[in-house]
Amino acid sequence: MSGPTRSPTLADVADAAGVSLSTASLAFSGNKPVSDATRQRVLGAAESLGYTGPNPLARNLRQGRSGVVGIAVGQLSTAFRDPAALPMLDAVSEVLGAAGLGLLLMGDEDDHARLPLDAVIYDICGRETWAAYDAFVARGIPLVVVEGPTWPGTTFVDIDHRGGSAALARHLHDLGHRRVAVLTLEPSHPQRQREAGLRDVFPDAVVIGACASDHGAAQQLASDWFDSSPDATVLVCQSDVQAAAVVVEARRRGLSVPGDLSVAGFDGVPTPWLDLELTTIAQPLGDKGRAVARAALARIEGDDVEDVLLPVTLRVGSSTGPA
Amino acid sequence: MSGPTRSPTLADVADAAGVSLSTASLAFSGNKPVSDATRQRVLGAAESLGYTGPNPLARNLRQGRSGVVGIAVGQLSTAFRDPAALPMLDAVSEVLGAAGLGLLLMGDEDDHARLPLDAVIYDICGRETWAAYDAFVARGIPLVVVEGPTWPGTTFVDIDHRGGSAALARHLHDLGHRRVAVLTLEPSHPQRQREAGLRDVFPDAVVIGACASDHGAAQQLASDWFDSSPDATVLVCQSDVQAAAVVVEARRRGLSVPGDLSVAGFDGVPTPWLDLELTTIAQPLGDKGRAVARAALARIEGDDVEDVLLPVTLRVGSSTGPA
DNA sequence: TTGTAAGCGTTATCAC
DNA sequence: GTGATAACGCTTACAA
């Protein structure tokens, strides 16, 4: 019965098993063949010593890797409020997890300089978040940016915001719409691209306001807009959450969608509380996440990686109709 | 001009600055006083060598800490689909971030054995997630469990599910309700406690089904229930997401809430797409997150930590009325 | 298949 | 206030 002693190390296990340190290491890692007999002896010794496997910290230093990838998402609460964020996060986590890597959430406020990160993913985040950017580049940490403006030395994964928006605009034009209003996102790379796509078809589209992809904010903007007796026949939103909020507000005022007003969104997420299907641009959220994760993995391996541009799909629902 | 050389270490910086390794270390960490002059010399040398600060991996090994806390949340996509999850995650992240620690998302599927974690938080997750539990205990990693069944050697943070549900039940009883139906969560610690609280007042409450806190699933269950011509005057749900779905379905069928049916929820999250305020049990999500994070920090420091039980508040809205 | 030895880049202890 | 030196616990050439 000894006192509270330090936890056993691989060296202790090796001693107990009567083998060398390197052999014990191999018994655990399997990086080189070890005879069955000795492996059993090592594992047995580990078991009886209460050794739970190689210390990750030591391994990390030795291998120069932490096995952790950071993901910057701006403010957590707002970042995940939009359901479009989740399938992508899920896919990222799945691919990284399968490769044995963990995913670390990075808030805007935090100081990440001391965190052991093998790569960092920037997911649709605003200017503030870019602050730490240069520091990571200086540390030589691979960066993967989702839906951000291009930047040298970084891998980019994006969707065809502009093409998708233009396709939607053509659909609306075909339906006879000519007076188009837009509810945009706050200034960002996606916002600019999506607006540009819309203007490819409707150069005179009127922006009625900008807000986050948040139900409350969008409904308020819609309410103000309805109060102004607008003459547009369609309101194009830059997210489904916004579009759903507009539909709710229209209904609240006794307006019919799409009878009195057509409404369109962006993303292609479920809105089960609406009894109509939004017309929207569906983006491949899972594919996007997988592309991001794969890019991060490749960059960690030191491989060169091509930027990725994913296609989107116009999904015509029942929230748009003839002008 | 040399070829692609290894990145500079603290030893290189010390040499360049003409000081010892230990002094250079202190210049960065500030753990002991260093004269201003030498500090400047060290930082200058670092600057010109392109040294970006002490290698986190090395520091981690030396200090026996990774600066990373894991949080197990089951399936990511489902875990964050309920808006109640976010304010808590936000609070956890904020407190840990302020202490310089990162938060790592742990999916159910992944193998976390090789991740360098200083502590692990278990957030309302099912049995499956508990699989890795014993491994962490064996590794001596502090565990903090949110809304889970107690388990030796672990710190618990919970809310008063039972008391809250009982308070709601009394409110309903006061309104004259006697025939009570329940839409529960899938079997879990919170589910059992909340149901127990309800039965403290209504022992004969009828469970009409169980599902995740997901709009689509709850609406489907509600739909089936309405089809069965129920005679209950109130439907108590175990989350606001469920309750909102029930309200939507009731409306869709031309039923008035609370005229034809009273509906109650749990959590106290905003449901802006409803034009009524849910009667619900509001839980202090931010407080819960902060308590969890503080417990994790204390456990990492080796301190003893008391379990935490947070109070909840009955918030009477317009979704409940006289029987 | 197994053993020897050299680091990985820090921080902490101790003396000066 | 500064400097030498010993860990931290492991992986991986290289040798046997």
Side-chain angles (χ1 to χ4, degrees):
Chain A
M1 289 294 138
S2 58
T5 164
R6 64 162 180 58
S7 48
T9 72
L10 192 52
D12 299 329
V13 174
D15 282 355
V19 301
S20 76
L21 179 54
S22 54
T23 302
S25 175
L26 294 177
F28 276 98
S29 70
N31 283 353
K32 285 198 172 180
V34 171
S35 83
D36 246 38
T38 42
R39 176 188 289 96
Q40 295 310 337
R41 214 134 39 82
V42 171
L43 297 182
E47 171 95 44
S48 64
L49 285 178
Y51 180 76
T52 52
N55 180 330
L57 264 28
R59 198 222 323 269
N60 288 348
L61 172 59
R62 180 59 232 237
Q63 307 194 331
R65 300 211 176 152
S66 64
V68 176
V69 173
I71 183 166
V73 291
Q75 285 270 102
L76 293 193
S77 49
T78 61
F80 297 145
R81 197 185 301 299
D82 188 329
L86 298 179
M88 153 147 173
L89 186 75
D90 222 8
V92 170
S93 166
E94 186 185 319
V95 172
L96 291 183
L101 301 195
L103 187 62
L104 185 143
L105 290 176
M106 309 192 327
D108 263 350
E109 321 291 326
D110 312 340
D111 175 28
H112 318 109
R114 312 171 79 95
L115 289 176
L117 300 176
D118 289 346
V120 172
I121 296 167
Y122 275 85
D123 187 18
I124 29 168
C125 30
R127 270 271 146 223
E128 330 75 58
T129 309
W130 293 83
Y133 188 104
D134 292 325
F136 287 124
V137 171
R139 281 167 66 188
I141 296 182
L143 258 40
V144 178
V145 173
V146 190
E147 300 188 33
T150 26
W151 205 292
T154 303
T155 302
F156 286 84
V157 175
D158 206 345
I159 59 170
D160 186 11
H161 303 283
R162 184 163 187 166
S165 292
L168 169 65
R170 282 192 298 275
H171 162 71
L172 296 172
H173 194 274
D174 290 348
L175 285 172
H177 293 279
R178 295 299 180 269
R179 297 191 307 281
V180 177
V182 197
L183 177 49
T184 78
L185 296 170
E186 279 150 352
S188 63
H189 167 77
Q191 168 267 323
R192 283 186 293 275
Q193 297 299 305
R194 294 178 190 178
E195 212 176 309
L198 192 66
R199 289 193 193 285
D200 287 342
V201 176
F202 298 113
D204 301 328
V206 175
V207 173
I208 67 160
C211 68
S213 187
D214 172 80
H215 188 104
Q219 187 164 355
Q220 183 58 54
L221 273 176
S223 176
D224 294 346
W225 182 61
F226 284 128
D227 283 341
S228 71
S229 310
D231 73 342
T233 58
V234 56
L235 179 55
V236 175
C237 301
Q238 290 193 356
S239 86
D240 289 343
V241 169
Q242 289 179 334
V246 169
V247 170
V248 166
E249 181 60 19
R251 292 269 169 77
R252 206 179 65 79
R253 291 164 173 261
L255 296 174
S256 125
V257 175
D260 299 316
L261 179 75
S262 285
V263 176
F266 200 109
D267 286 340
V269 300
T271 51
W273 63 91
L274 294 183
D275 53 1
L276 56 70
E277 291 292 319
L278 286 175
T279 291
T280 190
I281 308 296
Q283 54 166 315
L285 295 166
D287 290 346
K288 194 167 69 171
R290 282 182 286 273
V292 167
R294 279 197 299 260
L297 290 174
R299 290 287 308 270
I300 291 174
E301 296 303 329
D303 299 348
D304 281 338
V305 182
E306 299 276 305
D307 289 351
V308 176
L309 181 66
L310 295 167
V312 296
T313 315
L314 170 63
R315 186 190 292 164
V316 176
S318 48
S319 67
T320 49
Chain B
M1 289 294 139
S2 58
T5 163
R6 64 162 178 59
S7 48
T9 73
L10 192 52
D12 300 329
V13 174
D15 283 356
V19 302
S20 76
L21 178 56
S22 43
T23 302
S25 176
L26 294 176
F28 276 98
S29 71
N31 282 354
K32 285 196 171 180
V34 172
S35 84
D36 247 37
T38 43
R39 179 190 285 94
Q40 295 309 336
R41 214 136 39 81
V42 172
L43 297 183
E47 171 96 43
S48 62
L49 286 179
Y51 179 77
T52 52
N55 180 330
L57 264 26
R59 196 216 329 264
N60 287 349
L61 172 58
R62 181 59 235 232
Q63 311 198 99
R65 299 211 176 153
S66 65
V68 176
V69 173
I71 182 165
V73 291
Q75 285 271 100
L76 294 193
S77 49
T78 61
F80 297 145
R81 197 185 301 298
D82 189 328
L86 298 179
M88 152 145 175
L89 186 74
D90 222 7
V92 170
S93 167
E94 186 185 319
V95 172
L96 291 182
L101 301 196
L103 187 62
L104 185 142
L105 290 176
M106 308 191 329
D108 262 351
E109 319 292 325
D110 313 340
D111 174 28
H112 319 109
R114 313 172 78 96
L115 288 176
L117 300 175
D118 289 346
V120 172
I121 297 167
Y122 276 85
D123 187 18
I124 28 169
C125 30
R127 270 272 146 220
E128 328 77 54
T129 310
W130 293 83
Y133 187 105
D134 292 325
F136 288 124
V137 171
R139 282 167 67 188
I141 296 181
L143 258 39
V144 178
V145 173
V146 190
E147 301 187 34
T150 25
W151 206 290
T154 303
T155 301
F156 286 84
V157 175
D158 207 344
I159 60 170
D160 185 10
H161 303 283
R162 183 164 188 164
S165 291
L168 169 66
R170 281 192 298 274
H171 162 71
L172 296 172
H173 195 274
D174 290 348
L175 285 171
H177 293 279
R178 294 298 180 271
R179 297 191 307 282
V180 177
V182 197
L183 177 48
T184 78
L185 294 171
E186 279 150 351
S188 61
H189 167 78
Q191 167 267 321
R192 283 186 293 275
Q193 296 300 305
R194 293 177 192 179
E195 213 176 308
L198 191 67
R199 290 193 193 286
D200 286 343
V201 177
F202 298 112
D204 301 327
V206 175
V207 174
I208 69 160
C211 67
S213 186
D214 171 81
H215 187 103
Q219 189 164 354
Q220 182 60 53
L221 273 175
S223 176
D224 293 346
W225 183 59
F226 284 129
D227 283 341
S228 72
S229 312
D231 74 341
T233 59
V234 57
L235 178 56
V236 174
C237 302
Q238 289 193 357
S239 86
D240 289 343
V241 169
Q242 290 179 334
V246 169
V247 170
V248 166
E249 181 60 18
R251 292 270 169 77
R252 206 179 65 78
R253 292 166 173 260
L255 296 174
S256 124
V257 175
D260 298 315
L261 179 75
S262 284
V263 176
F266 200 110
D267 286 340
V269 300
T271 50
W273 63 90
L274 293 183
D275 53 1
L276 56 70
E277 291 292 318
L278 286 175
T279 292
T280 189
I281 308 297
Q283 52 166 318
L285 294 166
D287 290 346
K288 194 168 69 171
R290 282 181 286 275
V292 168
R294 278 197 299 261
L297 289 174
R299 290 287 308 271
I300 290 174
E301 295 304 327
D303 299 349
D304 280 338
V305 182
E306 299 275 307
D307 290 350
V308 176
L309 182 66
L310 295 166
V312 296
T313 318
L314 171 63
R315 187 189 292 163
V316 176
S318 47
S319 68
T320 50

mmCIF file of all heavy atoms in Angstrom, chain B residues 154-169:
data_model
loop_
_atom_site.group_PDB
_atom_site.id
_atom_site.type_symbol
_atom_site.label_atom_id
_atom_site.label_comp_id
_atom_site.label_asym_id
_atom_site.label_seq_id
_atom_site.Cartn_x
_atom_site.Cartn_y
_atom_site.Cartn_z
ATOM 1 N N THR B 154 -18.338 11.784 -9.928
ATOM 2 C CA THR B 154 -18.675 12.726 -10.985
ATOM 3 C C THR B 154 -19.402 13.923 -10.399
ATOM 4 O O THR B 154 -20.110 13.795 -9.406
ATOM 5 C CB THR B 154 -19.584 12.032 -12.019
ATOM 6 O OG1 THR B 154 -18.909 10.884 -12.504
ATOM 7 C CG2 THR B 154 -19.926 12.954 -13.157
ATOM 8 N N THR B 155 -19.233 15.084 -11.005
ATOM 9 C CA THR B 155 -19.934 16.268 -10.543
ATOM 10 C C THR B 155 -21.214 16.444 -11.353
ATOM 11 O O THR B 155 -21.197 16.298 -12.572
ATOM 12 C CB THR B 155 -19.046 17.514 -10.717
ATOM 13 O OG1 THR B 155 -17.846 17.329 -9.987
ATOM 14 C CG2 THR B 155 -19.764 18.751 -10.200
ATOM 15 N N PHE B 156 -22.302 16.765 -10.660
ATOM 16 C CA PHE B 156 -23.588 16.856 -11.334
ATOM 17 C C PHE B 156 -24.166 18.257 -11.294
ATOM 18 O O PHE B 156 -24.117 18.929 -10.264
ATOM 19 C CB PHE B 156 -24.585 15.876 -10.726
ATOM 20 C CG PHE B 156 -24.271 14.490 -11.144
ATOM 21 C CD1 PHE B 156 -23.327 13.748 -10.453
ATOM 22 C CD2 PHE B 156 -24.860 13.949 -12.272
ATOM 23 C CE1 PHE B 156 -22.978 12.484 -10.882
ATOM 24 C CE2 PHE B 156 -24.529 12.675 -12.698
ATOM 25 C CZ PHE B 156 -23.581 11.946 -11.997
ATOM 26 N N VAL B 157 -24.704 18.671 -12.423
ATOM 27 C CA VAL B 157 -25.425 19.927 -12.510
ATOM 28 C C VAL B 157 -26.792 19.595 -13.079
ATOM 29 O O VAL B 157 -26.895 18.956 -14.119
ATOM 30 C CB VAL B 157 -24.697 20.933 -13.424
ATOM 31 C CG1 VAL B 157 -25.529 22.188 -13.594
ATOM 32 C CG2 VAL B 157 -23.318 21.258 -12.863
ATOM 33 N N ASP B 158 -27.807 20.006 -12.376
ATOM 34 C CA ASP B 158 -29.153 19.642 -12.814
ATOM 35 C C ASP B 158 -30.116 20.782 -12.498
ATOM 36 O O ASP B 158 -29.770 21.711 -11.772
ATOM 37 C CB ASP B 158 -29.595 18.360 -12.103
ATOM 38 C CG ASP B 158 -30.609 17.572 -12.925
ATOM 39 O OD1 ASP B 158 -31.188 18.136 -13.867
ATOM 40 O OD2 ASP B 158 -30.829 16.389 -12.600
ATOM 41 N N ILE B 159 -31.282 20.689 -13.064
ATOM 42 C CA ILE B 159 -32.334 21.648 -12.721
ATOM 43 C C ILE B 159 -33.471 20.897 -12.035
ATOM 44 O O ILE B 159 -33.522 19.669 -12.073
ATOM 45 C CB ILE B 159 -32.887 22.359 -13.971
ATOM 46 C CG1 ILE B 159 -33.469 21.324 -14.942
ATOM 47 C CG2 ILE B 159 -31.798 23.180 -14.644
ATOM 48 C CD1 ILE B 159 -34.231 21.933 -16.082
ATOM 49 N N ASP B 160 -34.352 21.640 -11.441
ATOM 50 C CA ASP B 160 -35.431 21.019 -10.665
ATOM 51 C C ASP B 160 -36.587 20.609 -11.576
ATOM 52 O O ASP B 160 -37.664 21.195 -11.548
ATOM 53 C CB ASP B 160 -35.911 21.996 -9.594
ATOM 54 C CG ASP B 160 -36.944 21.365 -8.668
ATOM 55 O OD1 ASP B 160 -37.130 20.125 -8.743
ATOM 56 O OD2 ASP B 160 -37.567 22.114 -7.896
ATOM 57 N N HIS B 161 -36.313 19.567 -12.376
ATOM 58 C CA HIS B 161 -37.344 19.090 -13.300
ATOM 59 C C HIS B 161 -38.656 18.815 -12.584
ATOM 60 O O HIS B 161 -39.721 19.235 -13.001
ATOM 61 C CB HIS B 161 -36.897 17.772 -13.956
ATOM 62 C CG HIS B 161 -35.602 17.847 -14.675
ATOM 63 N ND1 HIS B 161 -35.478 18.422 -15.918
ATOM 64 C CD2 HIS B 161 -34.364 17.423 -14.335
ATOM 65 C CE1 HIS B 161 -34.222 18.337 -16.320
ATOM 66 N NE2 HIS B 161 -33.524 17.735 -15.380
ATOM 67 N N ARG B 162 -38.538 18.085 -11.496
ATOM 68 C CA ARG B 162 -39.738 17.592 -10.831
ATOM 69 C C ARG B 162 -40.533 18.720 -10.198
ATOM 70 O O ARG B 162 -41.752 18.824 -10.376
ATOM 71 C CB ARG B 162 -39.343 16.568 -9.764
ATOM 72 C CG ARG B 162 -40.536 15.948 -9.085
ATOM 73 C CD ARG B 162 -40.158 14.688 -8.348
ATOM 74 N NE ARG B 162 -41.335 14.001 -7.859
ATOM 75 C CZ ARG B 162 -41.334 12.737 -7.450
ATOM 76 N NH1 ARG B 162 -40.204 12.035 -7.485
ATOM 77 N NH2 ARG B 162 -42.437 12.167 -7.022
ATOM 78 N N GLY B 163 -39.799 19.598 -9.484
ATOM 79 C CA GLY B 163 -40.488 20.709 -8.837
ATOM 80 C C GLY B 163 -41.163 21.620 -9.862
ATOM 81 O O GLY B 163 -42.286 22.084 -9.660
ATOM 82 N N GLY B 164 -40.463 21.860 -10.960
ATOM 83 C CA GLY B 164 -41.028 22.722 -11.996
ATOM 84 C C GLY B 164 -42.282 22.123 -12.594
ATOM 85 O O GLY B 164 -43.310 22.795 -12.742
ATOM 86 N N SER B 165 -42.191 20.857 -12.915
ATOM 87 C CA SER B 165 -43.350 20.204 -13.515
ATOM 88 C C SER B 165 -44.527 20.192 -12.551
ATOM 89 O O SER B 165 -45.693 20.359 -12.952
ATOM 90 C CB SER B 165 -43.000 18.765 -13.909
ATOM 91 O OG SER B 165 -42.086 18.773 -14.981
ATOM 92 N N ALA B 166 -44.236 19.992 -11.281
ATOM 93 C CA ALA B 166 -45.306 19.979 -10.279
ATOM 94 C C ALA B 166 -45.951 21.363 -10.170
ATOM 95 O O ALA B 166 -47.176 21.485 -10.045
ATOM 96 C CB ALA B 166 -44.752 19.542 -8.930
ATOM 97 N N ALA B 167 -45.124 22.398 -10.253
ATOM 98 C CA ALA B 167 -45.669 23.760 -10.176
ATOM 99 C C ALA B 167 -46.607 24.020 -11.351
ATOM 100 O O ALA B 167 -47.688 24.598 -11.206
ATOM 101 C CB ALA B 167 -44.531 24.784 -10.179
ATOM 102 N N LEU B 168 -46.189 23.581 -12.508
ATOM 103 C CA LEU B 168 -47.044 23.734 -13.686
ATOM 104 C C LEU B 168 -48.342 22.959 -13.497
ATOM 105 O O LEU B 168 -49.449 23.458 -13.798
ATOM 106 C CB LEU B 168 -46.309 23.217 -14.926
ATOM 107 C CG LEU B 168 -47.163 23.064 -16.180
ATOM 108 C CD1 LEU B 168 -47.651 24.429 -16.662
ATOM 109 C CD2 LEU B 168 -46.396 22.343 -17.289
ATOM 110 N N ALA B 169 -48.193 21.751 -12.982
ATOM 111 C CA ALA B 169 -49.375 20.914 -12.788
ATOM 112 C C ALA B 169 -50.359 21.586 -11.833
ATOM 113 O O ALA B 169 -51.575 21.574 -12.054
ATOM 114 C CB ALA B 169 -48.950 19.541 -12.249
#
